Amino acid sequence: MVEALIVSQVFLWIAVIGLGVLCFALTRQIGVLYERIAPAGALSMNEVLKPGEDAPSMSLPTLTGVMQEIGGTRDGKRSQLLFFLSPDCPVCKSLLPAVKSIARAEGDWLDVILASDGSDQAHKEYVKAQGLEAFPYVSSEILGRQFGVAKLPYSVLIDEKGKIASMGLVNSREHLDSLFVAKQEGVHSIQDYLNKREPA
């Protein structure tokens, strides 16, 4: 009886040690996997403009009738984030809390501008429904064409010198954040940054 108990304890400890080794091995493999999987940045699909070029400079009316300056140097102090959206785009709607959060967190150096085209009345209703009154909202087909916007939601980060810092199709908060990381690191996209870090 005692021998059987000792044998069972030995097997139990062997099983516990084996499970510990297995967990350690799995943890290491997960770490390796995270290193190999690059963070996803905004997907740039633009054939009209490229990061580093001067952003189109224009003055357009917002839904409230105030003229909004887009592009240009703006005294060389503030950047602009253009967020192209549509009232009938569910992904755009899901990103609005992130856009509001970014506007609050980065308000000391960044101006967020919402942009779309189509019926002003539909946009005014959308602004009211989503609580977007604090943002300049431009409805202009010309603006979308000038920035080469083909799909939504799309964002363009214009730096304080009026140049395009980064841009791309944004489907998540991670994509939006990647625009700021690209500007901070002085690269056109997260993919460019990762490529520069890879050993030759």
Side-chain angles (χ1 to χ4, degrees), residues 79-82 109-110 155-159 163-168 179-184:
S79 297
Q80 289 180 325
L81 178 69
L82 303 182
W109 66 275
L110 181 70
S155 279
V156 180
L157 181 60
I158 304 172
D159 70 14
K163 295 188 178 294
I164 296 174
S166 54
M167 60 184 176
L179 300 176
F180 302 114
V181 173
K183 179 182 185 298
Q184 181 181 351

Side-chain angles (χ1 to χ4, degrees), residues 98-134:
V99 172
K100 292 177 183 179
S101 173
I102 287 169
R104 287 191 301 269
E106 312 297 339
D108 57 337
W109 66 275
L110 181 70
D111 296 321
V112 177
I113 301 167
L114 306 180
S116 192
D117 61 11
S119 166
D120 281 4
Q121 185 57 39
H123 292 299
K124 287 177 180 178
E125 293 172 1
Y126 189 65
V127 166
K128 186 176 180 180
Q130 301 302 321
L132 303 174
E133 291 87 354

Side-chain angles (χ1 to χ4, degrees), residues 163-184:
K163 295 188 178 294
I164 296 174
S166 54
M167 60 184 176
L169 189 66
V170 289
N171 291 322
S172 67
R173 173 65 187 257
E174 181 185 32
H175 290 169
L176 281 167
D177 288 340
S178 75
L179 300 176
F180 302 114
V181 173
K183 179 182 185 298
Q184 181 181 351

Side-chain angles (χ1 to χ4, degrees), residues 6-193:
I6 292 173
V7 170
S8 67
Q9 287 292 321
V10 169
F11 278 115
L12 181 61
W13 276 107
I14 290 173
V16 169
I17 293 170
L19 283 172
V21 171
L22 182 62
C23 286
F24 178 74
L26 284 173
T27 303
R28 286 199 50 153
Q29 285 303 109
I30 290 171
V32 170
L33 185 62
Y34 270 111
E35 287 180 3
R36 290 181 181 171
I37 297 176
L43 178 60
S44 183
M45 308 169 53
N46 203 307
E47 296 182 1
V48 176
L49 298 170
K50 297 191 182 312
E53 296 180 352
D54 289 333
S57 180
M58 59 189 78
S59 181
L60 296 168
T62 66
L63 293 179
T64 59
V66 178
M67 296 305 293
Q68 175 64 52
E69 299 296 326
I70 295 172
T73 59
R74 294 171 308 287
D75 299 327
K77 296 178 181 178
R78 298 189 66 80
S79 297
Q80 289 180 325
L81 178 69
L82 303 182
F83 182 70
F84 291 88
L85 73 166
S86 172
D88 57 3
C89 168
V91 180
C92 301
K93 182 178 177 181
S94 72
L95 282 176
L96 289 178
V99 172
K100 292 177 183 179
S101 173
I102 287 169
R104 287 191 301 269
E106 312 297 339
D108 57 337
W109 66 275
L110 181 70
D111 296 321
V112 177
I113 301 167
L114 306 180
S116 192
D117 61 11
S119 166
D120 281 4
Q121 185 57 39
H123 292 299
K124 287 177 180 178
E125 293 172 1
Y126 189 65
V127 166
K128 186 176 180 180
Q130 301 302 321
L132 303 174
E133 291 87 354
F135 297 95
Y137 195 121
V138 176
S139 178
S140 168
E141 184 181 347
I142 294 172
L143 181 62
R145 283 206 310 264
Q146 287 288 316
F147 281 90
V149 178
K151 293 184 178 181
L152 299 175
Y154 197 89
S155 279
V156 180
L157 181 60
I158 304 172
D159 70 14
E160 60 278 1
K161 297 177 182 176
K163 295 188 178 294
I164 296 174
S166 54
M167 60 184 176
L169 189 66
V170 289
N171 291 322
S172 67
R173 173 65 187 257
E174 181 185 32
H175 290 169
L176 281 167
D177 288 340
S178 75
L179 300 176
F180 302 114
V181 173
K183 179 182 185 298
Q184 181 181 351
E185 297 296 333
V187 295
H188 295 160
S189 68
I190 291 295
Q191 288 77 17
D192 287 347
Y193 174 68

